[in-house]
Amino acid sequence: MKNMKIHVNGEEKEVRLNINVYDLLIALELEPIQAGIAVAVDREVIPKAAWQETELRENSDVEIIRAVQGG
Amino acid sequence: MPELKIADQIYTSRLLIGTAGYPNFHIMTESIAASGAEIATVSMRRVKWTDPSGENLFALLNERGMTILPNTAGCFTAKDAILTANLAREALETSLIKLEVIGDDQTLFPDVEQLLRAAETLVKDGFTVLPYCNDDPITCKKLEDLGCAAVMPLGAPIGSGMGIRNPYNIQIIRDLVEVPLIVDAGVGTASDAAIAMELGCDGVLLNTAVAKAHRPVLMAEAMKKAVEAGRAAFLAGRIPRKLYATASSPQTGMIE
């Protein structure tokens, strides 16, 4: 199976070719069904409902965020 | 006493509290409870998968029935603030956003131009925008005109604990805007919160004053009382200031 490089939260990661957002979260050992996280790919927010159908490309820039303590 | 109303949502408490900087998670939750606040702010940051054991703040605040108010802290441009707001809406399933667009690292003063730009876009995109802004009446009026659900001028720089540095501007803002006026930032102790409320503010948002107090839970309780007392005093109406004394005891029937 071929791999590709993407950026996740500023770090380079090697992942399966054309992996979708949902499978990426599983590969990162994040629970995709958990409430409270959001994902943007190339600065565009991907709604939860579209995670399985959104495939990443070589050099995709992925941000995964959650709520932290703030003022 | 009439409640605080933000975008058709009614809140009994007029104190909004931040979740940052407490000695630990337990003291944070105890402080939030003691403050009586129904709205708590959070920030949006990158997930760290190297440390998945971190507490789930979202779940914890939800369990306690708190309204979660995500902020765009750390954003220096309208573009970044808009993306952060959209991520927050997706992650936390709320259209509320405490909009911060910072102009400078040292003062953390807002960048008014970028703030107005971001506010305009977010209001159009259906957000309930609560902007952290300067204590500038004109900026506040512009934010109201753009459709913001409240205006939240600073009393003093974030985390400075310097109190309400320009009460006269806050008073003018009170006269100029009809949306809820919430002092955000600068409160150092209970009397500062009371002063904000006595000036006619609808609420106070604070964090550091409680989180960094020697006894955060006790300070949270003090803030709760100060906000209530300040509100009551505002509604009651203070007496005019006079330079000279007016006797309060009867001046007739004295012993001769």
Side-chain angles (χ1 to χ4, degrees), chain A residues 8-11 13 28 30 35-40 43 45-48 63-71, chain B residues 18-20 25 28 41-47 49 55-58 71 79-80 83 86-87 90-91 98 207:
Chain A
V8 185
N9 288 357
E11 279 179 38
K13 299 257 174 205
L28 292 171
L30 291 169
I37 65 170
V39 177
R43 295 187 68 86
V45 179
I46 310 296
K48 282 185 184 70
E63 292 285 344
I64 307 169
I65 61 96
R66 67 184 296 192
V68 300
Q69 290 166 277
Chain B
T19 57
F25 227 67
M28 179 195 79
T41 59
V42 300
S43 284
M44 306 311 297
R45 290 292 180 270
R46 286 170 165 174
V47 167
W49 45 85
E55 299 271 4
N56 189 336
L57 185 62
F58 174 66
N71 68 29
K79 200 177 141 201
D80 282 349
L83 176 61
N86 278 285
L87 283 165
E90 174 65 20
K98 176 186 163 185
N207 185 345

Side-chain angles (χ1 to χ4, degrees), chain B residues 39-77:
Chain B
I39 302 175
T41 59
V42 300
S43 284
M44 306 311 297
R45 290 292 180 270
R46 286 170 165 174
V47 167
K48 289 183 193 146
W49 45 85
T50 47
D51 174 30
S53 62
E55 299 271 4
N56 189 336
L57 185 62
F58 174 66
L60 183 135
L61 295 173
N62 259 346
E63 275 165 25
R64 286 164 183 260
M66 301 289 295
T67 294
I68 300 175
L69 175 57
N71 68 29
T72 62
C75 292
F76 282 80
T77 62

